[in-house]
Each structure stands twice: as structure tokens, then as C-alpha cells.
Amino acid sequence: MPARYLAAMLLAALLAAPACAEQQSNPPETAQLVRVIDGDSLLVRHGSRETQVRLIGLDAPEWNQPYGQQAEDWVVRHCPQGSRLHLRYDQELRDRYDRLLAYVTCRGRFLNLHLVKSGLAKAKFYKPNGKHQRELKQAMETAKKAKKGMWE
């Protein structure tokens, strides 16, 4: 019995190793916020150049649509100009508009998730980037039930 247990533990450790190695070898990249473009797009200084970042896993209204200005204002309020950002990526690095696709953390807050939780963006899956799809979808359902933002 102990030999079986030891073998099972060893197998579990071996299977988990690639996931742990991937997380350790892919730390978040840092960038600096230049300005908020809209609720789901940012202009950042990434390395030595400025580039647009599109928050993935969500769709915020455009500035001229209902809740579009509120979504933009929320990002500005929680992530002021000059803030340090942590960028994490999924399967696809850039979209058809050449924007960098990222999950963004600012001041300890996961922006993608909190925009959806606040009811200021919808969870939206864009293949193949689905690393946080389940979490974002659950946040949207919670915002709907609480009648937050666009779900009022």
C-alpha cells in the first residue's frame, strides 16, 4: 500500500511539474500606463516604445455607447496615468489591429475581471484566448444578479 501511495504521489508531482515550470518561466511583463483609450484599451509604454493593449476576455462598450464613458472612467479611477502595469498573455499575442492582447493588473487589481464584476464590460471569449474565460463569465453572472452597471 505505501509503495502505491508513493508511486501515485510521484506521478502527480511529475504531471504538475510542467504547469509549475510554465508559471515560473512566464512572469508578468511590466509596462507603464500612458493613457486610457477606452474601457478595454490602453496605451502603454512597453519596453522602449508605446503600444496599444487590448484587455482580453471582455468587451466594454465604446465611449459613445451606454456605459462606455463609465467603463473608461472606472479604468482611469483605478489605474491612473503613469501607473505600473503587469501584463500576462494567453495563446494569441496580438489581434488583427496589432494591439497587444493581455490580462492586466494595476495596483494589485486584475482589471479584466473587475471591469466585468462592476457590470461595465461583458465577458467575451475570443478564440484561442480563454485562460480566464470561466472566471470572467462567472463575474458577469454575478454582476447581472446584483444588477450592477449595464445590468441595472
Side-chain angles (χ1 to χ4, degrees), residues 22-116:
E22 180 184 339
Q23 288 176 353
Q24 291 173 352
S25 67
N26 293 322
E29 291 187 12
T30 59
Q32 183 179 23
L33 180 64
V34 175
R35 71 180 174 87
V36 175
I37 297 170
D38 60 25
D40 55 21
S41 299
L42 312 170
L43 182 64
V44 305
R45 181 167 308 288
H46 185 250
S48 61
R49 58 177 259 204
E50 288 184 359
T51 190
Q52 285 190 28
V53 171
R54 171 67 163 81
L55 303 180
I56 51 177
L58 62 93
D59 185 28
E62 300 303 317
W63 65 270
N64 59 347
Q65 296 174 327
Y67 291 96
Q69 190 61 55
Q70 290 93 324
E72 181 179 337
D73 292 346
W74 186 95
V75 178
V76 169
R77 188 169 56 255
H78 291 93
C79 192
Q81 184 177 356
S83 292
R84 184 177 184 186
L85 307 174
H86 290 105
L87 310 176
R88 290 194 182 270
Y89 308 111
D90 207 321
Q91 298 296 312
E92 199 170 64
L93 194 58
R94 293 200 175 261
D95 67 7
R96 63 182 174 179
Y97 305 109
D98 200 37
R99 296 176 296 186
L100 192 58
L101 300 171
Y103 299 107
V104 179
T105 303
C106 179
R107 303 167 110 190
R109 185 181 298 260
F110 181 18
L111 295 182
N112 309 54
L113 179 65
H114 285 280
L115 265 166
V116 174

